[in-house]
Structures are given as structure tokens and as C-alpha cells.
Amino acid sequence: MVMAAGLGKRMRPLTITTPKPLVRVAGKPLIDHVLDHLGQAGMQRVIVNVHYLADALEAHLKAREWPFELLISDERDLLLETGGGLVKALPMIEEDPFFCLNSDNVWLESARSCFDELRAAWDDERMDALLLLVPHSRANNYKGVGDFHLDQMGRIRRRKPGHVAPYIYTGIQLLSRRLLADPPQGAFSTNVLWNRAMTEGRVYGMSHLGLWFDVGTPAAIQPTAEALLDA
């Protein structure tokens, strides 16, 4: 599942006329960076949700041949946020667990695909969610204070207000359908689902061994492109 329905407010003015997933970095739309990774990893079925400037995004997706079946989860009538978008798309998601990614992710793999790393670390008896995290040293363009801590077992704990956390969420995760049981109605954030599962100790994280790029604003585009070319 690729989350591509957001408004892209932080990327304005570029997103006034272009959906954020189609903003180009290193000559390629952001969503193509993600979908190319998915193709290289051997994914066979990908769902992309659309809302803001949906016609342009859908036309782009349908204009290219992909090495997987690509389906559209249509949120034109109502933006459902990340959690609501997952619930709407769930009937199209056949696997359990399944990967969920943000459409504005740019990353470089280490010796092994991050998808293979997540699969290998997955423990269905203990986990409802396994988040791919990155330390500050490998988070290019990132200026924030981090998102999460990990305990010795790999369980996630949120950063406390006023403190710094060592890990940043990359926007890539492996999820069990259990996480979406009895969801709220309408639009809501995946944070609602994470918080519920965290209280039960069922949200885990692992560190990405490659590089990750925060491409949230126009200012991040050029340094990200230069880093990709150097790599």
C-alpha cells in the first residue's frame, strides 16, 4: 500500500498545481522512486490511494508499464488520512502482513533490501506493526528531534515532549491486518492504530542500514538530487 492522497502542504508552492508524489527529485517523480524500489523487490500487487489532484496522479500511474499489478484506491470524495485510507483499501490488500509506504520516500538500500530486512525480522506472534526507522546520522536533510526510542527487544516508545529521540520514522512499515481491527469511522491517522497497539507492546521497530532522505520541502530537493547522483 502506497499512501499518495495527501495535500502536500509543506511542499508548496510546487504542490499548488502538482500532487506531491509527482514532484521531481533527480529527474524522477517521488512516487516513481518508491514504485521502482517495489518493483526491484519483486512486489506483485501495489495499491495507491489518490485524492488531491487525483486525475493527474492516476494518469501518470496508468501511463507507465509496471512489473506488478497496480490498483487505485479512490479517495476523491473524502480524504481519509493515513489510517482511514488503509481501512478503505483493506479489501484490496490480499497479503497479511503487508507493506505500507509513504509516496514521498527516497532512500538508498544497504547490501540487503529493506523489505527483506523487515520480512526477516517479522514475528507474527509478537507484532502488529514493524516500522523501519533510521538514526539521525543516516537521515539526510532531517532537522527534527526524532520520533522514537527502541528498547532492548525492539519495541517502540514515542519521544517525550522536550526531548530528543534517536530514531526517525522512514514512512515504511510492515503491518498485520490485526492492527486495523475495529477501526474508527471516517478519516483518522495511523497514529490512532499505533497507539492502541503500543499499549499492548505490539509495535516494533528496526533500523535501516542504508541512507534515507527527508524530502518534505522544496529546499530538500536539490541536496537530495546531488546526494543520489553522488551515490
Side-chain angles (χ1 to χ4, degrees), residues 82-83 148 158 169 188-198:
T82 52
F148 296 110
R158 288 190 183 275
Y169 174 51
F188 68 94
S189 169
T190 308
N191 282 302
V192 174
L193 306 174
W194 285 349
N195 290 342
R196 183 176 63 182
M198 280 182 195

Side-chain angles (χ1 to χ4, degrees), residues 4 14 29 107 170 191 194 223:
L14 299 180
W107 76 93
T170 64
N191 282 302
W194 285 349

Side-chain angles (χ1 to χ4, degrees), residues 11 13 57 69 83 96 116 149-150 163 176-177 179 190 215:
M11 192 60 85
L57 180 53
E69 179 185 13
D96 189 15
D116 289 340
H149 299 264
L150 294 178
H163 291 72
S176 168
R177 297 173 73 94
L179 188 77
T190 308
V215 196

Side-chain angles (χ1 to χ4, degrees), residues 192-213:
V192 174
L193 306 174
W194 285 349
N195 290 342
R196 183 176 63 182
M198 280 182 195
T199 62
E200 301 172 355
R202 296 190 61 81
V203 180
Y204 286 71
M206 64 176 297
S207 181
H208 178 47
L209 299 178
L211 297 178
W212 174 82
F213 299 86

